[in-house]
Amino acid sequence: MTGSPTAIAMAAQVRSGQTTAVTLCGRALDRAEALGRERSGFTRLLRKRAMLRAAAVDKLVEAGLDPGPLAGVPFGVADLFDVAGEITTAGSRTRLAAAFASRDAKAIALLEAAGAVLVGTQNMDELGYGFVTMNAHYGTTFNPHDNARVSGGAAGGSAVAVATGTVPISLAFDTNGSLRVPAALTGVIGLKPTYGDLPRDGVYPFVESLDVVGALGRDLDDLALVRTVLREGAPERSDTLRGEIAFGRLLSWFDDNISEEMRAPLDAFWSRLGRIGFELPHSEIARAAASVIIAAEGASLHRPALEADPMQFEPPVRDRMLAGLLLPSDDYLAAQRFRSWIQGRLRRQFELADVLFTPAAPGFAPLISDPVMTFEGKSIPARSHLGIYTQPISLMGLPALVLPLAGDLAMPLGIQLISAAGHEPLLFRAARQLIEKGLCAVPAPPA
């Protein structure tokens, strides 16, 4: 399925003495260096830290001790996770004078306590505001399946690091599709958990009422293990469903603006699942409400920097932030009220289907030279619109899992599986059924 070793397989080899953490982490660092910033997804490699940590893991193995379920596994994080002794840039030069982080983000600390080794930080759209990972300060991250195309965003670097096989897992964030869009465009698996499910301590905020910590990988079991580690043994809701899972496709808004290259594979996928479909009225308002909340909360958070020197922001980010400052408070309150209303509407759909699905992105990754997409018959910037199918789900706080569609495709295409809040185990079970049926598969890392 993966075309490269899984995190679980790597850890088993380290724990059994077949390889060492130093070897695995050195290999990941060397590959990232060889690929370079634009193709590896990494903005900062932490070689000294990583090799010291890897050596400590190996010493535990030599002493007959178990370093943990992720022993020696190299991983990366989007550059808004605090890393002790480093500046958390969040992809913005407005953060260059920020204080050095005094400790690692909790998610990093938990993975390393399970034996994993952080090897570097990864590129993102400035402050998480965008869907293309074209960053004026830290460069553009190329799509590994076609270097002329975007990787998606905002956490494009985290997806590319996994898609190239440099690391088996990355920690990232999702506000409005930040990890789901690049997962779809680069052909990896992306987990956006239920709002509040995973710890955000030490993660630079963007939109407090939407931000979640998530993960990207090439293997379902790897991501399930990462989630288990990050949840610190918190109890799961019991999955009482038995037998085949009932899938339902969300239509209306989620069936509009699908590209020609996505339409046929998506319809074939739907046919194999029984062609059960549901309308979710006012999904377009859900997307608009999410945009209002992001604009208002993001602008409020960065207001001091905007007032001090607005020119230090990238022009697209600056313009959207300034527009957010001008939003009437009544608009923000109305968006939050609508959020509560549509959450109730969608809950009813889970009485009819166990797992819902939509496209994760409209089609293939847009070109870097002309990053646009077609929306309602017009050509519009992909930077602000690639998340048209992920934004409404973020507004509802629901978990989602992005999987690549199987088939002989010119570029990766992804679907978004959605469950009721707190039902991530059901999502993983649904994803395994799709993979077993040959409907979804992670493409091998490009040569």
Side-chain angles (χ1 to χ4, degrees):
M1 169 187 162
T2 65
S4 63
T6 67
I8 291 173
M10 286 181 177
Q13 290 174 346
V14 170
R15 292 155 80 188
S16 68
Q18 291 177 262
T19 189
T20 65
V22 165
T23 298
L24 292 178
C25 294
R27 189 180 298 154
L29 288 160
D30 290 345
R31 177 159 175 75
E33 245 174 32
L35 287 172
R37 177 177 287 194
E38 292 174 320
R39 294 194 298 140
S40 73
F42 283 92
T43 54
R44 177 170 42 192
L45 295 176
L46 305 169
R47 184 176 287 273
K48 182 177 179 180
R49 168 188 164 133
M51 298 312 284
L52 286 171
R53 169 67 185 155
V57 170
D58 289 336
K59 285 182 179 178
L60 289 174
V61 174
E62 290 168 9
L65 301 174
D66 185 354
L70 291 169
V73 173
F75 73 100
V77 297
D79 198 7
L80 47 52
F81 287 75
D82 284 351
V83 176
E86 304 288 341
I87 292 175
T88 307
T89 73
S92 177
R93 67 181 179 184
T94 66
R95 299 275 306 153
L96 291 179
F100 293 98
S102 60
R103 62 177 64 88
D104 290 337
K106 185 174 183 180
I108 294 175
L110 288 170
L111 285 194
E112 292 212 320
V117 179
L118 177 65
V119 297
T121 61
Q122 297 155 333
N123 201 18
M124 54 182 283
D125 284 295
E126 183 176 29
L127 302 171
Y129 217 156
F131 289 113
V132 290
T133 312
M134 296 175 67
N135 189 307
H137 314 308
Y138 297 98
T140 294
T141 299
F142 298 163
N143 192 307
H145 298 277
D146 181 349
N147 286 176
R149 295 179 183 269
V150 304
S151 59
S158 301
V160 166
V162 170
T164 57
T166 304
V167 290
I169 48 177
S170 292
L171 290 182
F173 60 98
D174 198 301
T175 303
N176 242 355
S178 312
L179 72 80
R180 284 169 288 161
V181 169
L185 299 187
T186 63
V188 299
I189 305 171
L191 170 66
K192 174 217 172 286
T194 302
Y195 179 79
D197 184 58
L198 301 182
R200 293 189 304 174
D201 316 52
V203 179
Y204 191 73
F206 178 35
V207 181
E208 290 278 6
S209 66
L210 295 175
D211 292 344
V212 299
V213 165
L216 296 132
R218 303 181 54 80
D219 181 80
L220 278 174
D221 291 336
D222 285 353
L223 288 184
L225 175 57
V226 167
R227 178 173 176 269
T228 297
V229 168
L230 295 182
R231 297 186 79 248
E232 298 184 273
E236 294 275 16
R237 292 191 181 183
S238 58
D239 177 7
T240 57
L241 183 66
R242 297 291 178 265
E244 285 287 309
I245 291 170
F247 292 88
R249 179 177 172 183
L250 285 180
L251 299 169
S252 54
W253 171 262
F254 300 97
D255 193 44
D256 294 335
N257 298 297
I258 293 175
S259 68
E260 184 178 343
E261 64 265 19
M262 171 61 97
R263 176 65 67 185
L266 182 65
D267 284 349
F269 175 85
W270 189 29
S271 294
R272 290 280 301 276
L273 295 177
R275 297 190 70 84
I276 300 169
F278 303 103
E279 300 291 331
L280 183 62
H282 310 303
S283 296
E284 71 284 0
I285 301 177
R287 189 212 173 197
S291 297
V292 167
I293 292 169
I294 281 183
E297 292 190 25
S300 176
L301 176 65
H302 297 289
R303 183 171 194 144
L306 282 165
E307 291 177 341
D309 183 6
M311 300 309 291
Q312 64 186 321
F313 293 88
E314 291 182 29
V317 174
R318 180 181 64 242
D319 293 348
R320 293 170 78 182
M321 292 281 193
L322 290 173
L325 289 177
L326 299 175
L327 274 172
S329 59
D330 285 352
D331 287 0
Y332 176 77
L333 294 173
Q336 291 288 13
R337 285 195 297 271
F338 178 80
R339 181 183 193 178
S340 298
W341 179 83
I342 201 165
Q343 283 174 335
R345 289 294 297 266
L346 189 56
R347 274 195 292 269
R348 298 175 197 169
Q349 305 290 5
F350 292 113
E351 297 171 5
L352 305 172
D354 305 313
V355 172
L356 303 172
F357 72 90
T358 76
F364 293 157
L367 293 169
I368 293 171
S369 61
D370 189 23
V372 297
M373 56 177 276
T374 301
F375 181 79
E376 295 181 352
K378 299 176 183 177
S379 184
I380 59 173
R383 175 186 289 268
S384 51
H385 293 277
L386 272 174
I388 57 174
Y389 304 132
T390 55
Q391 288 173 300
I393 307 308
S394 290
L395 185 76
M396 301 168 206
L398 299 178
L401 192 65
V402 169
L403 289 174
L405 286 172
D408 186 16
L409 303 170
M411 288 288 294
L413 295 170
I415 54 142
Q416 172 180 225
L417 303 181
I418 306 151
S419 74
H423 287 274
E424 281 87 342
L426 176 60
L427 275 185
F428 279 101
R429 190 150 71 87
R432 288 188 184 95
Q433 284 193 12
L434 297 177
I435 290 167
E436 288 167 2
K437 290 180 177 181
L439 297 177
C440 293
V442 176

